[in-house]
mmCIF file of all heavy atoms in Angstrom:
data_model
loop_
_atom_site.group_PDB
_atom_site.id
_atom_site.type_symbol
_atom_site.label_atom_id
_atom_site.label_comp_id
_atom_site.label_asym_id
_atom_site.label_seq_id
_atom_site.Cartn_x
_atom_site.Cartn_y
_atom_site.Cartn_z
ATOM 1 N N PHE A 68 -12.070 9.882 -21.524
ATOM 2 C CA PHE A 68 -11.314 9.494 -20.450
ATOM 3 C C PHE A 68 -10.288 8.419 -21.014
ATOM 4 O O PHE A 68 -9.066 8.553 -20.699
ATOM 5 C CB PHE A 68 -12.256 8.830 -19.371
ATOM 6 C CG PHE A 68 -11.425 8.445 -18.109
ATOM 7 C CD1 PHE A 68 -10.986 9.343 -17.202
ATOM 8 C CD2 PHE A 68 -10.882 7.179 -17.954
ATOM 9 C CE1 PHE A 68 -10.201 9.026 -16.076
ATOM 10 C CE2 PHE A 68 -10.030 6.718 -16.939
ATOM 11 C CZ PHE A 68 -9.728 7.665 -15.998
ATOM 12 N N VAL A 69 -10.802 7.477 -21.762
ATOM 13 C CA VAL A 69 -9.765 6.459 -22.242
ATOM 14 C C VAL A 69 -8.855 7.054 -23.216
ATOM 15 O O VAL A 69 -7.586 6.789 -23.086
ATOM 16 C CB VAL A 69 -10.675 5.347 -23.107
ATOM 17 C CG1 VAL A 69 -9.696 4.378 -23.682
ATOM 18 C CG2 VAL A 69 -11.475 4.569 -22.114
ATOM 19 N N ARG A 70 -9.135 8.069 -23.983
ATOM 20 C CA ARG A 70 -8.255 8.735 -24.909
ATOM 21 C C ARG A 70 -7.173 9.440 -24.065
ATOM 22 O O ARG A 70 -5.972 9.342 -24.367
ATOM 23 C CB ARG A 70 -8.998 9.656 -25.893
ATOM 24 C CG ARG A 70 -9.637 9.034 -27.017
ATOM 25 C CD ARG A 70 -10.424 9.914 -27.787
ATOM 26 N NE ARG A 70 -11.110 9.326 -28.902
ATOM 27 C CZ ARG A 70 -12.141 9.849 -29.534
ATOM 28 N NH1 ARG A 70 -12.666 10.971 -29.180
ATOM 29 N NH2 ARG A 70 -12.701 9.146 -30.515
ATOM 30 N N ASN A 71 -7.694 10.220 -23.069
ATOM 31 C CA ASN A 71 -6.708 10.993 -22.240
ATOM 32 C C ASN A 71 -5.836 10.091 -21.398
ATOM 33 O O ASN A 71 -4.642 10.381 -21.195
ATOM 34 C CB ASN A 71 -7.459 11.927 -21.373
ATOM 35 C CG ASN A 71 -7.875 13.205 -22.123
ATOM 36 O OD1 ASN A 71 -7.024 14.049 -22.473
ATOM 37 N ND2 ASN A 71 -9.145 13.381 -22.550
ATOM 38 N N LEU A 72 -6.449 8.977 -20.936
ATOM 39 C CA LEU A 72 -5.583 8.001 -20.111
ATOM 40 C C LEU A 72 -4.449 7.412 -21.008
ATOM 41 O O LEU A 72 -3.321 7.441 -20.644
ATOM 42 C CB LEU A 72 -6.477 6.988 -19.622
ATOM 43 C CG LEU A 72 -5.787 5.856 -18.675
ATOM 44 C CD1 LEU A 72 -5.276 6.432 -17.391
ATOM 45 C CD2 LEU A 72 -6.736 4.675 -18.370
ATOM 46 N N GLY A 73 -4.750 7.035 -22.191
ATOM 47 C CA GLY A 73 -3.812 6.446 -23.073
ATOM 48 C C GLY A 73 -2.777 7.505 -23.549
ATOM 49 O O GLY A 73 -1.576 7.302 -23.449
ATOM 50 N N ALA A 74 -3.215 8.567 -23.945
ATOM 51 C CA ALA A 74 -2.319 9.767 -24.473
ATOM 52 C C ALA A 74 -1.473 10.367 -23.318
ATOM 53 O O ALA A 74 -0.387 10.831 -23.613
ATOM 54 C CB ALA A 74 -3.154 10.740 -25.052
ATOM 55 N N GLY A 75 -2.056 10.322 -22.156
ATOM 56 C CA GLY A 75 -1.429 11.046 -21.065
ATOM 57 C C GLY A 75 -0.519 10.160 -20.095
ATOM 58 O O GLY A 75 -0.248 10.466 -18.952
ATOM 59 N N THR A 76 -0.229 8.994 -20.545
ATOM 60 C CA THR A 76 0.420 8.028 -19.633
ATOM 61 C C THR A 76 1.932 7.771 -20.223
ATOM 62 O O THR A 76 2.118 7.710 -21.476
ATOM 63 C CB THR A 76 -0.230 6.745 -19.599
ATOM 64 O OG1 THR A 76 -1.595 6.965 -19.015
ATOM 65 C CG2 THR A 76 0.494 5.698 -18.735
ATOM 66 N N ASP A 77 2.944 7.732 -19.441
ATOM 67 C CA ASP A 77 4.340 7.511 -19.756
ATOM 68 C C ASP A 77 4.838 6.347 -18.845
ATOM 69 O O ASP A 77 4.742 6.408 -17.692
ATOM 70 C CB ASP A 77 4.971 8.825 -19.567
ATOM 71 C CG ASP A 77 6.597 8.704 -19.918
ATOM 72 O OD1 ASP A 77 6.922 7.982 -20.843
ATOM 73 O OD2 ASP A 77 7.341 9.361 -19.248
ATOM 74 N N GLU A 78 5.491 5.422 -19.475
ATOM 75 C CA GLU A 78 6.173 4.322 -18.696
ATOM 76 C C GLU A 78 7.451 4.814 -18.274
ATOM 77 O O GLU A 78 8.224 5.351 -19.018
ATOM 78 C CB GLU A 78 6.222 3.073 -19.606
ATOM 79 C CG GLU A 78 6.829 1.862 -18.783
ATOM 80 C CD GLU A 78 6.717 0.527 -19.466
ATOM 81 O OE1 GLU A 78 6.367 0.561 -20.613
ATOM 82 O OE2 GLU A 78 7.016 -0.421 -18.811
ATOM 83 N N GLN A 79 7.857 4.472 -17.071
ATOM 84 C CA GLN A 79 9.191 4.856 -16.383
ATOM 85 C C GLN A 79 9.753 3.758 -15.679
ATOM 86 O O GLN A 79 9.063 2.913 -15.186
ATOM 87 C CB GLN A 79 8.886 6.146 -15.413
ATOM 88 C CG GLN A 79 8.530 7.318 -16.075
ATOM 89 C CD GLN A 79 9.750 8.153 -16.509
ATOM 90 O OE1 GLN A 79 10.789 8.212 -15.955
ATOM 91 N NE2 GLN A 79 9.513 8.706 -17.630
ATOM 92 N N HIS A 80 11.125 3.835 -15.560
ATOM 93 C CA HIS A 80 11.862 2.900 -14.692
ATOM 94 C C HIS A 80 12.728 3.692 -13.826
ATOM 95 O O HIS A 80 13.530 4.521 -14.383
ATOM 96 C CB HIS A 80 12.673 2.005 -15.512
ATOM 97 C CG HIS A 80 11.708 0.947 -16.232
ATOM 98 N ND1 HIS A 80 11.250 -0.130 -15.765
ATOM 99 C CD2 HIS A 80 11.287 1.000 -17.556
ATOM 100 C CE1 HIS A 80 10.546 -0.781 -16.619
ATOM 101 N NE2 HIS A 80 10.490 -0.016 -17.750
ATOM 102 N N PRO A 81 12.534 3.698 -12.516
ATOM 103 C CA PRO A 81 13.359 4.524 -11.602
ATOM 104 C C PRO A 81 14.860 4.227 -11.799
ATOM 105 O O PRO A 81 15.243 3.134 -11.993
ATOM 106 C CB PRO A 81 12.927 4.139 -10.258
ATOM 107 C CG PRO A 81 11.568 3.616 -10.437
ATOM 108 C CD PRO A 81 11.548 2.975 -11.779
ATOM 109 N N ASP A 82 15.747 5.249 -11.800
ATOM 110 C CA ASP A 82 17.220 5.002 -11.866
ATOM 111 C C ASP A 82 17.714 4.512 -10.590
ATOM 112 O O ASP A 82 16.955 4.315 -9.672
ATOM 113 C CB ASP A 82 17.816 6.355 -12.419
ATOM 114 C CG ASP A 82 17.798 7.412 -11.378
ATOM 115 O OD1 ASP A 82 17.544 7.214 -10.261
ATOM 116 O OD2 ASP A 82 18.107 8.566 -11.754
ATOM 117 N N ALA A 83 18.986 4.334 -10.483
ATOM 118 C CA ALA A 83 19.725 3.858 -9.300
ATOM 119 C C ALA A 83 19.290 4.627 -8.043
ATOM 120 O O ALA A 83 19.394 4.090 -6.888
ATOM 121 C CB ALA A 83 21.227 3.668 -9.514
ATOM 122 N N GLN A 84 19.102 5.985 -8.174
ATOM 123 C CA GLN A 84 18.833 6.790 -7.048
ATOM 124 C C GLN A 84 17.281 6.923 -6.771
ATOM 125 O O GLN A 84 16.962 7.636 -5.978
ATOM 126 C CB GLN A 84 19.315 8.248 -7.307
ATOM 127 C CG GLN A 84 20.867 8.335 -7.152
ATOM 128 C CD GLN A 84 21.545 7.890 -8.547
ATOM 129 O OE1 GLN A 84 20.978 8.024 -9.596
ATOM 130 N NE2 GLN A 84 22.687 7.140 -8.372
ATOM 131 N N GLY A 85 16.479 6.144 -7.452
ATOM 132 C CA GLY A 85 15.082 6.209 -7.255
ATOM 133 C C GLY A 85 14.409 7.398 -7.883
ATOM 134 O O GLY A 85 13.251 7.786 -7.641
ATOM 135 N N ARG A 86 15.002 7.871 -8.878
ATOM 136 C CA ARG A 86 14.374 9.118 -9.569
ATOM 137 C C ARG A 86 13.697 8.662 -10.915
ATOM 138 O O ARG A 86 14.046 7.780 -11.650
ATOM 139 C CB ARG A 86 15.511 10.114 -10.029
ATOM 140 C CG ARG A 86 16.257 10.686 -8.843
ATOM 141 C CD ARG A 86 17.419 11.641 -9.301
ATOM 142 N NE ARG A 86 18.371 10.816 -10.170
ATOM 143 C CZ ARG A 86 19.519 11.216 -10.398
ATOM 144 N NH1 ARG A 86 19.827 12.464 -10.153
ATOM 145 N NH2 ARG A 86 20.268 10.420 -11.218
ATOM 146 N N ILE A 87 12.638 9.412 -11.144
ATOM 147 C CA ILE A 87 12.005 9.275 -12.419
ATOM 148 C C ILE A 87 11.911 10.681 -13.097
ATOM 149 O O ILE A 87 11.997 11.708 -12.441
ATOM 150 C CB ILE A 87 10.459 8.819 -12.229
ATOM 151 C CG1 ILE A 87 9.711 9.789 -11.361
ATOM 152 C CG2 ILE A 87 10.439 7.346 -11.773
ATOM 153 C CD1 ILE A 87 8.163 9.353 -11.337
ATOM 154 N N THR A 88 11.799 10.657 -14.491
ATOM 155 C CA THR A 88 11.823 11.996 -15.106
ATOM 156 C C THR A 88 10.314 12.173 -15.553
ATOM 157 O O THR A 88 9.709 11.328 -16.292
ATOM 158 C CB THR A 88 12.802 11.881 -16.375
ATOM 159 O OG1 THR A 88 14.085 11.597 -15.919
ATOM 160 C CG2 THR A 88 12.765 13.207 -17.037
ATOM 161 N N LEU A 89 9.931 13.276 -15.203
ATOM 162 C CA LEU A 89 8.503 13.702 -15.472
ATOM 163 C C LEU A 89 8.553 14.429 -16.809
ATOM 164 O O LEU A 89 9.368 15.560 -16.939
ATOM 165 C CB LEU A 89 7.862 14.454 -14.430
ATOM 166 C CG LEU A 89 7.809 13.742 -13.019
ATOM 167 C CD1 LEU A 89 7.186 14.660 -12.026
ATOM 168 C CD2 LEU A 89 6.943 12.542 -13.195
ATOM 169 N N SER A 90 7.772 14.186 -17.798
ATOM 170 C CA SER A 90 7.719 14.802 -19.069
ATOM 171 C C SER A 90 7.348 16.368 -18.868
ATOM 172 O O SER A 90 6.611 16.629 -18.012
ATOM 173 C CB SER A 90 6.868 14.041 -20.093
ATOM 174 O OG SER A 90 5.554 14.387 -19.717
ATOM 175 N N PRO A 91 7.814 17.148 -19.929
ATOM 176 C CA PRO A 91 7.345 18.510 -19.907
ATOM 177 C C PRO A 91 5.898 18.618 -19.861
ATOM 178 O O PRO A 91 5.198 19.453 -19.182
ATOM 179 C CB PRO A 91 7.901 19.067 -21.180
ATOM 180 C CG PRO A 91 9.188 18.241 -21.358
ATOM 181 C CD PRO A 91 8.753 16.893 -20.967
ATOM 182 N N ALA A 92 5.172 17.673 -20.617
ATOM 183 C CA ALA A 92 3.645 17.674 -20.575
ATOM 184 C C ALA A 92 3.112 17.403 -19.265
ATOM 185 O O ALA A 92 2.085 18.040 -18.821
ATOM 186 C CB ALA A 92 3.119 16.805 -21.705
ATOM 187 N N HIS A 93 3.567 16.383 -18.543
ATOM 188 C CA HIS A 93 3.181 16.174 -17.175
ATOM 189 C C HIS A 93 3.501 17.331 -16.282
ATOM 190 O O HIS A 93 2.575 17.604 -15.482
ATOM 191 C CB HIS A 93 3.871 14.929 -16.691
ATOM 192 C CG HIS A 93 3.217 13.704 -17.245
ATOM 193 N ND1 HIS A 93 3.955 12.464 -17.495
ATOM 194 C CD2 HIS A 93 1.847 13.350 -17.644
ATOM 195 C CE1 HIS A 93 3.186 11.483 -17.928
ATOM 196 N NE2 HIS A 93 1.947 12.028 -18.067
ATOM 197 N N ARG A 94 4.591 17.880 -16.369
ATOM 198 C CA ARG A 94 4.944 18.956 -15.484
ATOM 199 C C ARG A 94 3.953 20.099 -15.670
ATOM 200 O O ARG A 94 3.545 20.720 -14.719
ATOM 201 C CB ARG A 94 6.338 19.341 -15.666
ATOM 202 C CG ARG A 94 7.336 18.254 -15.243
ATOM 203 C CD ARG A 94 8.779 18.812 -15.078
ATOM 204 N NE ARG A 94 9.362 19.496 -16.099
ATOM 205 C CZ ARG A 94 10.085 19.033 -17.064
ATOM 206 N NH1 ARG A 94 10.420 17.769 -17.121
ATOM 207 N NH2 ARG A 94 10.626 19.739 -18.134
ATOM 208 N N ALA A 95 3.742 20.490 -17.017
ATOM 209 C CA ALA A 95 2.803 21.522 -17.385
ATOM 210 C C ALA A 95 1.315 21.196 -16.916
ATOM 211 O O ALA A 95 0.747 22.117 -16.259
ATOM 212 C CB ALA A 95 2.813 21.782 -18.800
ATOM 213 N N TYR A 96 0.857 20.011 -16.994
ATOM 214 C CA TYR A 96 -0.506 19.647 -16.591
ATOM 215 C C TYR A 96 -0.592 19.723 -15.135
ATOM 216 O O TYR A 96 -1.700 20.297 -14.639
ATOM 217 C CB TYR A 96 -0.729 18.120 -16.996
ATOM 218 C CG TYR A 96 -2.124 17.705 -16.562
ATOM 219 C CD1 TYR A 96 -3.248 17.997 -17.186
ATOM 220 C CD2 TYR A 96 -2.179 16.898 -15.438
ATOM 221 C CE1 TYR A 96 -4.469 17.585 -16.758
ATOM 222 C CE2 TYR A 96 -3.457 16.447 -14.933
ATOM 223 C CZ TYR A 96 -4.553 16.723 -15.565
ATOM 224 O OH TYR A 96 -5.766 16.264 -15.154
ATOM 225 N N ALA A 97 0.310 19.288 -14.378
ATOM 226 C CA ALA A 97 0.174 19.419 -12.939
ATOM 227 C C ALA A 97 0.799 20.807 -12.267
ATOM 228 O O ALA A 97 0.804 20.835 -11.053
ATOM 229 C CB ALA A 97 0.909 18.146 -12.243
#
Side-chain angles (χ1 to χ4, degrees):
F68 183 85
V69 172
R70 285 177 178 156
N71 279 288
L72 183 67
T76 301
D77 182 32
E78 185 170 8
Q79 291 277 319
H80 293 276
D82 69 12
Q84 288 79 39
R86 296 176 301 194
I87 58 172
T88 301
L89 301 176
S90 72
H93 280 148
R94 294 192 312 263
Y96 175 81

